[in-house]
Structures are given as structure tokens and as C-alpha cells.
Amino acid sequence: QVQLAESGGGSVQTGESLRLACVVSGSPYNRWCLTWFRQAPGKGRDAVAEIGSDGVASYAASVKGRFTISQDNSQSTLYLQMNNLKPEDSAIYYCRAKPRRGIFCDGQDYWGQGTQVTVSV
């Protein structure tokens, strides 16, 4: 069974940067579609960024131009570089894995434990 471990969160001020990492273990990295989500207090869990099966990255409108998703297949790690952070980016950030079936992603979701990001004014 796949396991996901996020790290890199912390407390920063507006305009600063953080880089999150999600290490995938227990299953080959290329068997999974991986997506970064975040959940702010009292709100639902929203997708932030992902790399599609075609290798093209996509982003939520609220983070486009500030966040960059990348991956290191050799290290089985997904990254999220977050620049120019704003207070509204404060949330728990999660990595989600969904089984890759050809060019599609389908099946059970697996989640990491999350990493807290807090951005102060």
C-alpha cells in the first residue's frame, strides 16, 4: 500500500517562500497520480496543483504564478514551491495519490498526514 509523507511546512510572513515535499513509499512512484491539496480551518479540501499524465502542470487560480509543482522520480518525491505567500495560503497541505490507469487516474484516494503552513501579515 502506498504511503505519503509531507514535510516542509512552517510559519512565515507575507511574501516569503516555502517548499513542501511529499515522499511516496510502499509502491512505485509512477503508478500514482499525485495532487497537492490544502484545507483551511472550517473549509473544504481544495486541489492546489497537480502534474497531469502528459506532464503538464495545472494550478488553482488562486496560486497560479506563485506556486510551482515539480517532481523527482528518482527520489519518489513531489514538491510544491510556494513563493510570495499570503495569509490566505494558510492551511494544512496534503498530498493525495490516486492509482494511475494508463492516461487516467481512477480508484481509491490515499492521503498523507499533511503539513501546516501559516502565513502571517
Side-chain angles (χ1 to χ4, degrees):
Q1 179 172 327
V2 67
Q3 296 176 334
L4 309 172
E6 302 97 333
S7 63
S11 296
V12 296
Q13 294 185 323
T14 297
E16 293 186 338
S17 299
L18 285 171
R19 188 174 82 153
L20 307 183
C22 170
V23 177
V24 179
S25 61
S27 180
Y29 183 85
N30 61 5
R31 290 188 182 175
W32 303 95
C33 299
L34 298 170
T35 305
W36 283 105
F37 280 75
R38 68 184 181 185
Q39 186 168 20
K43 297 188 177 181
R45 197 169 292 190
D46 298 320
V48 175
E50 67 178 4
I51 299 176
S53 58
D54 56 359
V56 176
S58 59
Y59 300 92
S62 58
V63 307
K64 208 167 187 178
R66 299 187 297 120
F67 290 12
T68 303
I69 189 171
S70 63
Q71 59 188 358
D72 184 340
N73 291 36
S74 68
Q75 298 295 320
S76 298
T77 302
L78 183 74
Y79 297 100
L80 186 67
Q81 177 67 42
M82 307 186 296
N83 297 330
N84 191 22
L85 283 161
K86 304 176 181 180
E88 51 264 42
D89 296 317
S90 297
I92 300 175
Y93 284 71
Y94 296 92
C95 182
R96 184 200 69 183
K98 186 182 283 287
R100 184 182 301 279
R101 307 191 193 282
I103 63 171
F104 300 105
C105 305
D106 184 37
Q108 182 178 352
D109 290 342
Y110 295 87
W111 297 90
Q113 82 289 347
T115 185
Q116 177 73 49
V117 172
T118 303
V119 186
S120 59
V121 176

